[in-house]
Amino acid sequence: RISLVGDWLTLYLVYNPGAAFSFASGATWIFTIIASVVIVVVIRVSRSLGSVWWSLCLGLLLGGAGGNLIDRLVREPSFGQGHVVDFIAYGNLFV
């Protein structure tokens, strides 16, 4: 662990096979499909946005979904079932 703000916020490397809190770790391929659909929908919706705040929110969503999709496609154990890299630990609650 690398401490950023005491024990409240640290950096800690974890490879997550599932969703939040390693939920549904046996269904990784489903999250690959969901991330792909989210990316397509966000790109299509973004063409008609007039609000800076919506653009910012959807840009953050696109970045997160894109990062997770890349991890799922190229990381171990196999194509489409890779583990997502998590590294921000909030106390001893979760990473």
Side-chain angles (χ1 to χ4, degrees):
R1 286 188 181 258
I2 299 172
S3 178
L4 297 176
V5 181
D7 289 334
W8 291 96
L9 188 65
T10 59
L11 297 179
Y12 184 71
L13 181 62
V14 175
Y15 295 98
N16 186 355
F21 310 107
S22 293
F23 172 74
S25 59
T28 305
W29 61 274
I30 292 173
F31 298 119
T32 303
I33 294 169
I34 291 171
S36 301
V37 170
V38 167
I39 289 170
V40 169
V41 169
V42 167
I43 290 172
R44 293 196 75 199
V45 168
S46 68
R47 293 179 183 168
S48 62
L49 290 177
S51 167
V52 173
W53 292 110
W54 274 110
S55 299
L56 177 65
C57 292
L58 290 179
L60 292 171
L61 179 65
L62 182 63
N68 284 355
L69 180 61
I70 290 169
D71 282 348
R72 299 236 183 250
L73 293 177
V74 302
R75 292 200 181 275
E76 295 292 328
S78 66
F79 181 81
Q81 296 183 357
H83 297 175
V84 173
V85 173
D86 291 329
F87 59 91
I88 301 175
Y90 302 93
N92 289 325
L93 300 173
F94 54 88
V95 178

